[in-house]
Amino acid sequence: MKNRATYALAIAIITLSIAGLRLIDPDPLVRLRLLAFDIFQTLAPRKVDPSYPVRIVDIDQKSLTEYGQWPWPRDLIARLVDRLDDLGARVIAFDIAFPNPEPDPLASLYVALGDKPGARDLLDQLPRPRSGDRIFADAIRERPVVLGAIGRADDGPRIPPSTTAFALLGTDPARHVPTFRTATVNTPDLNDAAAGIGALNWFPESDQIVRKVPLVVRFGDQLYPSLVAESIRLAEGASTISVRSSTASAEGGSLESGITSVRIGRFRIPTEASGQVWMAFSPHLPERYISAASVLDGTAKREDIAGRIIFVCSSAPNLTDLQKDP
């Protein structure tokens, strides 16, 4: 009987010790857990079905060589949107924010001519070219296009309301999600024309490796979806993203410990408490990438675009994360 009690006490001490370590979560334990995660990703990478409904339109070195260095004129980006829409893209998501208006093409002429007599009067009489921003805004209006926004820790401009409605199940999750004081957003014309705005921020671990992505963030006091979450919402034709916290009745508890899942259309996505999702990595497959040049010159295959979520980003050297178009 005494041996059983000793055994039970030992088990209880071990269990409490493990629980205490997990609660404190010291750095060595975190590093060990991340190492185990990395080893698992290497030994058992995710297999990708060729019919996977996502493709990347890559502003690669070929695209930059053929169409000029970044930033591209907004009318060229509008042409890219037109081509992708013509090819049947289900959603077009830009891993880019466009916070600054494109310069007036005549502005440099005004500066160069200075105070030369009659020159400014002549320029004033010339028809004003249609701005690239207006062309781009018209191209994305009434189309399933998602633009990016970048959370910032400093003060910034007023944040426009999110285009996405959130249904909160359980306790308000705002204090659990990644939070920024403000955000770099797009020009008002582009913001108003876009079907959705998604956060571009990501959060590396202490070793600067990104292993998870957020589905929801907070800019100021507003919830915003990530670029991925907003793209899924548009692809699903959903108007609302549901965020379930641990105190929701279906979870069967009253202890607030953060977010448990996010529902977008048909998909209920389990998350960690901060609303982030651990990524299941897969090998690099060239067939998942489509050069932006091939879309613009008409050689891209319709079957690679039609019905898919298309992310526009870049693999070009020194341009691997466009994020903000100057």
Side-chain angles (χ1 to χ4, degrees):
M1 197 73 178
K2 183 178 179 181
N3 289 338
R4 288 185 179 180
T6 303
Y7 179 75
L9 179 61
I11 293 295
I13 291 173
I14 293 171
T15 302
L16 289 173
S17 298
I18 293 173
L21 274 175
R22 187 65 184 92
L23 185 63
I24 299 170
D25 214 14
D27 187 64
L29 184 61
V30 172
R31 291 178 181 273
L32 183 62
R33 190 165 63 248
L34 295 179
L35 177 62
F37 178 83
D38 293 344
I39 292 173
F40 177 79
Q41 298 288 338
T42 303
L43 295 177
R46 177 171 56 90
K47 294 181 180 180
V48 178
D49 186 336
S51 64
Y52 191 65
V54 175
R55 290 291 184 273
I56 294 172
V57 165
D58 187 3
I59 302 175
D60 55 8
Q61 192 58 54
K62 176 185 176 184
S63 303
L64 298 176
T65 299
E66 294 188 14
Y67 292 93
Q69 294 302 306
W70 190 263
W72 280 354
R74 301 279 164 87
D75 62 339
L76 180 60
I77 303 174
R79 204 165 94 206
L80 181 66
V81 171
D82 289 338
R83 293 288 174 85
L84 289 170
D85 188 66
D86 290 344
L87 289 168
R90 189 168 184 176
V91 174
I92 304 166
F94 283 87
D95 187 20
I96 314 167
F98 301 91
N100 301 314
E102 189 171 69
D104 184 338
L106 293 183
S108 58
L109 281 177
Y110 277 97
V111 173
L113 291 171
D115 296 326
K116 292 183 179 180
R120 287 178 175 268
D121 292 338
L122 178 61
L123 284 177
D124 289 341
Q125 295 175 31
L126 292 176
R128 305 294 293 186
R130 192 163 170 237
S131 76
D133 285 307
R134 184 60 57 86
I135 295 171
F136 187 25
D138 288 346
I140 67 177
R141 188 174 286 109
E142 305 300 329
R143 284 173 169 169
V145 175
V146 184
L147 299 182
I150 306 168
R152 293 165 42 174
D154 59 341
D155 291 325
R158 185 184 67 84
I159 306 167
S162 173
T163 57
T164 305
F166 286 91
L168 307 181
L169 308 175
T171 308
D172 185 348
R175 74 184 187 88
H176 296 286
V177 302
T179 300
F180 302 91
R181 295 180 67 178
T182 184
T184 295
V185 295
N186 307 280
T187 64
D189 282 347
L190 296 178
N191 236 55
D192 292 343
I197 305 294
L200 302 182
N201 300 86
W202 41 267
F203 308 95
E205 304 296 332
S206 57
D207 56 7
Q208 299 307 301
I209 296 176
V210 177
R211 297 179 177 86
K212 53 190 176 183
V213 293
L215 294 180
V216 183
V217 302
R218 190 175 74 178
F219 295 158
D221 59 358
Q222 298 183 55
L223 289 179
Y224 262 76
S226 68
L227 189 75
V228 170
E230 187 68 343
S231 300
I232 296 172
R233 182 185 72 82
L234 289 183
E236 284 288 288
S239 60
T240 302
I241 292 177
S242 297
V243 182
R244 179 180 292 275
S245 297
S246 58
T247 54
S249 57
E251 301 298 331
S254 60
L255 181 64
E256 181 185 358
S257 58
I259 298 171
T260 59
S261 66
V262 173
R263 178 176 286 280
I264 310 173
R266 295 168 294 163
F267 302 106
R268 182 176 183 266
I269 307 166
T271 70
E272 64 171 22
S274 65
Q276 297 194 79
V277 177
W278 289 86
M279 293 186 287
F281 289 91
S282 63
H284 176 77
L285 297 177
E287 54 267 33
R288 288 191 288 175
Y289 292 77
I290 303 164
S291 173
S294 70
V295 177
L296 289 167
D297 66 21
T299 59
K301 298 178 181 177
R302 182 176 182 84
E303 58 265 29
D304 290 335
I305 302 290
R308 302 181 192 274
I309 298 174
I310 304 297
F311 287 97
V312 180
C313 46
S314 179
S315 66
N318 302 319
L319 203 64
T320 53
D321 192 356
L322 299 178
Q323 287 220 348
K324 186 169 72 171
D325 175 27

